[in-house]
Amino acid sequence: MEVAAGGGCGTGPPLLLSDSEQQCYSELFARCAGAASGGPGPGPPEGTRVAPGTATAAAGPVADLFRASQLPPETLHQITELCGAKRVGYFGPTQFYVALKLIAAAQSGLPVRTESIKCELPLPRFGMSKSDGEIRFGNPAELHGKKVQIPYLPTEKNSHKRMDDEDKQQESQSPTMSPLASPPSSPPHYQRVSLSHGYSKLRSSTEQMHPAPYETRQPIGQPEGSSSEGPGAKPLRRQASLIRSFSVERELQDNNSNYPDEPWRITEEQREYYVNQFRSLQPDPSSFISGSVAKNFFTKSKLSIPELSYIWELSDADCDGALTLPEFCAAFHLIVARKNGYPLPEGLPPTLQPEYLQAAFPKSKWECAIFDSYSESMPANQQPCDLNRMEKTSAKDMADFPVPTQDVTTGDDKQALKSTVNEPLPKDVAEDTATSKDCYSLKARPRSRSYSSTSIEETMKRGEDPPTPPPRPQKTHSRASSLDLNKVFQPSVPAANSGLLHAPPALPPRPCPTQSEPVSEADLHPQLNRAPSQAAESSPAKKDAIHAQPPSKPIRRKFRSENQTTENQEPAAAVGGAASAAMVKPHPTVQKQSSKQKKAIQTAIRKNKEANAVLARLNSELQQQLKEVHQERIALENQLEQLRPVTVL
Amino acid sequence: MVHTSLDVVDEKISAMGKALVDQRELYLGLLYPTEDYKVYGYVTNSKVKFVMVVDSSNTALRDNEIRSMFRKLHNSYTDVMCNPFYNPGDRIQSRAFENMVTSMMIQVC
């Protein structure tokens, strides 16, 4: 189908559009025009002069679109001039299409001339835009991997199909694209940025920061490979490094697993959260939650009973009336999705299937532990300032993340791990998994407790639970460490935290401590910023000590003591201390411990105060209710008395 | 008519007495002169009664088929029951349950 523009709209050159281009352009046009007039004419452009208001694109959305194409303003200026909009005064379909074609030409590096549009060009690329349509454009090579990345909105599924058609057409039609395929990362940058915009809207911004450290490793390889990018891509790349890395990870995951249902994929953050919630209901992660317990828990989410019933039906795959951990996560995820406005699926999506989640879950256990150990390093190392450190942590976490997907393909966790991670880390990870998972559940528990923190007292109690060999200061440290970690976790992703808490708005009624925690712990945060750097460095040295928990606690404590003093001798001393009993410490560490104790005590005091505040509030509310009930009772008694004499008489 | 059949079911149950282990009952006897249909009854161990009304124009379903249908019904019902959000006595809104029922009915027709 070819469109001969020109008609009566001006003396523009005849415009030959391929099918895919036709579709894209008409869509874009519809979008721009629809935004303005509400009655666009997205079909084949009229040959005759188009009256403004019927099939024109308003200048506003068009300008936005052009700006989204990342071209310099002079180029855009040129384009608008060339396409004739300036002349006729509005963006008719022909002008719009010519402009789009010129944009494509400019993005491909061709000069903006009328001759440019005569050759076959890739579709113009637009990014940094929240509009959905722009996401679709790009190299088909990328799109094949990208098609599963289109964010949540179900309407996007239609665009998938169309895009796939476009891809195939594009591929068959334009062999000239091959040289243009050399900067393959540039469209991904654009796309991923826009994707992640949509993504981050729906998820929390944690995602960007959280996986960024362990994803930057991968994109680093990519930009190196595509050195031929235009200048325009570079600033974008820099600013979108975090976001892009996250989408890269998404692509990797999707390419591996080929699951085209993004909204139903549980991210690591979410999984941790769900696992923590599970643990709060049922300490043993390998057993299940009974129906009534789950019912109480999920009713807190304030979804209607039929919906909850339906969610249960979906997630309880074996219909046994109880939820195992993967089932629970699936149910939780469905609830979260529902609260965010997604319609419930007809059937359980493949990414929520228990088998799939089960394969991913053994990772999550030591992932928790790994996160606990390395979470300090992650937020501090968001910027690729220190690649080495980040690579270590990122590699490790990368191992965690692709593992779930690779499990689907390979089915062998440890193998996948070893194949992905080339550093000495896999040994540790394997060892970690090989050694007791209880250690991790224990280790993770203090953290999970305080992270999810159903109540402060519980947190403290759990902090006491882990191994007794460590002396008392250690227990406080474990509490503090858990606190610190959460602090590091939370303030670094404050938006995420609120987002996460927001997403299940009343899911488990979060007592205020969780929300006030970041605030109160913010002052301790700067300390921990130093902790991450030290922690990452000393982590390799400490790997062998990570096995048993008691040594690991002193290690973490040593981290913090190191951070406070930033002495490099500490690692050595710490390792020695860790290797020996926890009781034997060199002098400097004792001094640091006392200061650490103070900090721990302070944080404990703060927590207690928060708990007190909560309880006081609860108390007042209950008092109120009690008063009301009393009054009712009095009223009833009065009535009774009034009635009695009547009957007696 | 369903209510009358329920009454008959109750009658039968009380009559059975010690033979309550027997799960199934078949009523081929409820044939009204004008409306020729058959009503089958089925009682679970928890005294939940299933009543199935079949049009007699459909050449008589075999006993085994009826029994298998009831068994499937029973299984689906227990699955529905597993859902803690389901209050016994409510109208069953489970999609899986409905799918199963419709598939059964289609199968028969």
Side-chain angles (χ1 to χ4, degrees):
Chain A
M1 181 169 38
E2 290 176 351
V3 170
C9 286
T11 57
L15 188 62
L16 304 174
L17 292 179
S18 59
D19 274 6
S20 55
E21 287 175 324
Q22 173 72 16
Q23 282 170 341
C24 301
Y25 293 176
S26 56
E27 256 196 59
L28 279 179
F29 184 76
R31 195 174 310 271
C32 292
S37 61
E46 321 273 327
T48 59
R49 184 174 292 269
V50 179
T54 57
T56 60
V62 170
D64 287 352
L65 188 64
F66 287 0
R67 251 176 270 128
S69 67
Q70 311 293 334
L71 293 175
E74 311 84 45
T75 318
L76 293 175
H77 223 60
Q78 264 185 309
I79 290 174
T80 42
E81 273 185 35
L82 270 178
C83 73
K86 287 251 164 96
R87 207 163 359 103
V88 295
Y90 54 82
F91 265 108
T94 52
Q95 286 81 34
F96 192 73
Y97 290 17
V98 172
L100 288 177
K101 192 98 189 194
L102 287 169
I103 288 176
Q107 285 175 339
S108 315
L110 300 175
V112 179
R113 300 270 153 72
T114 52
E115 301 83 29
S116 312
I117 59 176
K118 291 199 183 131
C119 52
E120 293 196 10
L121 289 169
L123 297 172
R125 298 186 286 268
F126 301 95
M128 295 297 286
S129 157
K130 303 230 167 54
S131 150
D132 303 332
E134 279 79 25
I135 299 171
R136 299 189 214 125
F137 295 118
N139 285 324
E142 302 308 315
L143 285 173
H144 277 302
K146 236 16 124 290
K147 65 185 173 189
V148 298
Q149 278 188 320
I150 302 298
Y152 296 166
L153 307 174
T155 55
E156 289 302 308
K157 296 211 173 102
N158 299 330
S159 67
H160 283 196
K161 301 191 187 83
R162 248 179 312 157
M163 200 174 48
D164 293 345
D165 295 338
E166 292 168 76
D167 293 348
K168 292 175 192 124
Q169 289 174 6
Q170 195 91 7
E171 274 187 333
S172 57
Q173 283 169 6
S174 51
T176 58
M177 288 258 301
S178 46
L180 297 173
S182 64
S185 356
S186 65
H189 298 331
Y190 301 135
Q191 293 186 19
R192 282 159 186 165
V193 166
S194 49
L195 275 174
S196 54
H197 270 289
Y199 210 89
S200 59
K201 267 191 288 181
L202 297 163
R203 303 265 189 184
S204 49
S205 56
T206 329
E207 320 290 356
Q208 298 173 10
M209 310 218 269
H210 181 78
Y214 59 82
E215 284 312 327
T216 48
R217 185 171 178 256
Q218 207 194 10
I220 286 165
Q222 262 195 351
E224 286 169 312
S226 62
S227 49
S228 57
E229 283 180 27
K234 286 196 182 122
L236 177 65
R237 195 187 335 154
R238 251 179 267 125
Q239 65 180 340
S241 60
L242 294 177
I243 303 171
R244 168 169 44 103
S245 58
F246 177 61
S247 313
V248 170
E249 153 230 297
R250 279 264 155 262
E251 186 189 32
L252 169 75
Q253 211 181 14
D254 294 331
N255 283 338
N256 284 342
S257 61
N258 293 325
Y259 284 128
D261 37 12
E262 271 308 311
W264 308 118
R265 181 180 297 280
I266 302 183
T267 68
E268 281 312 303
E269 279 264 326
Q270 291 183 322
R271 184 178 293 140
E272 262 213 67
Y273 181 71
Y274 300 156
V275 169
N276 293 337
Q277 290 301 310
F278 185 92
R279 288 214 195 94
S280 73
L281 295 174
Q282 163 65 269
D284 181 6
S286 62
S287 101
F288 39 77
I289 297 181
S290 72
S292 48
V293 170
K295 175 182 180 180
N296 291 336
F297 183 73
F298 287 137
T299 23
K300 290 189 218 164
S301 72
K302 302 245 175 74
L303 285 180
S304 64
I305 296 291
E307 290 191 352
L308 288 172
S309 171
Y310 184 64
I311 287 175
W312 175 280
E313 204 183 316
L314 283 180
S315 53
D316 190 5
D318 45 6
C319 288
D320 55 357
L323 293 180
T324 63
L325 184 56
E327 289 175 344
F328 177 83
C329 290
F332 210 123
H333 196 72
L334 286 169
I335 288 178
V336 167
R338 188 80 187 98
K339 292 231 75 127
N340 280 331
Y342 286 112
L344 290 177
E346 291 292 318
L348 196 62
T351 48
L352 288 183
Q353 300 267 343
E355 313 80 50
Y356 177 79
L357 290 173
Q358 195 87 54
F361 272 121
K363 308 301 151 297
S364 75
K365 280 195 194 147
W366 45 257
E367 271 170 2
C368 282
I370 290 162
F371 281 148
D372 298 333
S373 318
Y374 294 108
S375 60
E376 301 111 336
S377 51
M378 286 201 302
N381 290 334
Q382 283 174 15
Q383 299 311 315
C385 44
D386 190 337
L387 281 181
N388 291 338
R389 245 181 274 143
M390 254 177 31
E391 275 189 352
K392 279 189 203 142
T393 55
S394 64
K396 185 148 196 167
D397 294 331
M398 266 271 292
D400 304 342
F401 212 89
V403 160
T405 62
Q406 288 187 6
D407 281 340
V408 176
T409 53
T410 64
D412 189 346
D413 309 346
K414 300 222 173 114
Q415 261 186 11
L417 258 183
K418 281 170 189 158
S419 62
T420 52
V421 182
N422 303 324
E423 286 143 0
L425 292 175
K427 241 183 297 167
D428 312 318
V429 172
E431 285 165 342
D432 288 347
T433 52
T435 56
S436 51
K437 289 197 176 145
D438 310 315
C439 282
Y440 293 111
S441 58
L442 274 180
K443 200 163 45 159
R445 214 193 291 154
R447 243 147 272 101
S448 66
R449 288 281 169 264
S450 46
Y451 183 58
S452 67
S453 111
T454 44
S455 78
I456 293 296
E457 293 86 28
E458 270 184 18
T459 337
M460 306 212 289
K461 277 185 225 151
R462 292 295 187 279
E464 314 268 36
D465 280 348
T468 47
R472 208 176 284 152
Q474 202 159 11
K475 279 187 197 164
T476 59
H477 285 310
S478 71
R479 253 205 318 266
S481 69
S482 63
L483 244 195
D484 294 339
L485 285 169
N486 291 325
K487 207 181 342 165
V488 169
F489 225 62
Q490 284 174 348
S492 67
V493 291
N497 198 16
S498 52
L500 264 181
L501 294 177
H502 199 52
L507 235 182
R510 307 239 127 256
C512 308
T514 48
Q515 289 163 2
S516 52
E517 252 176 11
V519 175
S520 63
E521 296 156 352
D523 53 349
L524 287 179
H525 182 56
Q527 275 183 0
L528 290 173
N529 276 332
R530 274 175 296 152
S533 49
Q534 288 287 0
E537 280 171 343
S538 32
S539 64
K542 304 247 180 336
K543 280 173 208 148
D544 48 349
I546 293 183
H547 289 301
Q549 192 160 0
S552 68
K553 287 208 182 280
I555 288 169
R556 269 199 308 287
R557 204 171 16 130
K558 301 291 190 300
F559 285 179
R560 268 162 212 83
S561 57
E562 289 155 24
N563 302 327
Q564 289 167 4
T565 62
T566 65
E567 284 174 0
N568 288 329
Q569 303 165 12
E570 283 310 304
V575 172
S580 61
M583 316 290 276
V584 178
K585 295 173 194 101
H587 272 297
T589 54
V590 171
Q591 293 166 0
K592 273 138 218 148
Q593 277 180 19
S594 58
S595 61
K596 289 244 7 198
Q597 279 178 6
K598 281 185 204 159
K599 297 250 167 22
I601 290 170
Q602 284 169 1
T603 52
I605 288 173
R606 219 168 291 125
K607 275 202 288 187
N608 280 332
K609 281 188 189 154
E610 288 158 15
N612 283 342
V614 170
L615 289 172
R617 228 170 296 150
L618 194 62
N619 194 16
S620 59
E621 280 173 31
L622 289 172
Q623 293 283 350
Q624 193 102 21
Q625 284 183 7
L626 187 62
K627 273 184 213 158
E628 285 167 23
V629 169
H630 268 308
Q631 283 170 2
E632 279 175 37
R633 185 177 157 213
I634 291 170
L636 285 171
E637 280 178 8
N638 284 337
Q639 282 182 10
L640 191 62
E641 280 185 24
Q642 283 169 13
L643 291 172
R644 210 179 284 155
V646 173
T647 55
V648 165
L649 292 173
Chain B
M1 66 180 113
V2 176
H3 293 300
T4 48
S5 54
L6 279 175
D7 292 336
V8 183
V9 172
D10 280 337
E11 223 182 276
K12 279 256 176 167
I13 285 179
S14 52
M16 277 169 71
K18 57 186 161 127
L20 268 173
V21 183
D22 189 3
Q23 264 199 346
R24 52 150 195 90
E25 302 168 359
L26 292 176
Y27 282 112
L28 291 174
L30 278 180
L31 271 177
Y32 286 97
T34 49
E35 317 159 66
D36 46 347
Y37 63 90
K38 297 177 188 163
V39 178
Y40 296 96
Y42 183 91
V43 175
T44 71
N45 286 335
S46 52
K47 303 288 178 67
V48 178
K49 301 167 193 60
F50 292 117
V51 179
M52 211 186 310
V53 180
V54 181
D55 207 5
S56 282
S57 57
N58 185 3
T59 49
L61 291 163
R62 296 213 324 269
D63 186 34
N64 291 333
E65 289 173 16
I66 302 284
R67 269 184 237 175
S68 68
M69 278 164 63
F70 269 126
R71 221 172 307 133
K72 278 197 274 182
L73 203 59
H74 194 176
N75 287 334
S76 309
Y77 182 71
T78 46
D79 288 344
V80 168
M81 275 296 162
C82 284
N83 191 335
F85 299 106
Y86 171 72
N87 301 319
D90 288 351
R91 197 173 150 267
I92 294 178
Q93 285 163 334
S94 154
R95 265 183 234 186
F97 186 79
E98 288 172 14
N99 291 341
M100 192 276 310
V101 171
T102 38
S103 67
M104 257 187 5
M105 298 202 294
I106 290 170
Q107 195 183 11
V108 169
C109 314

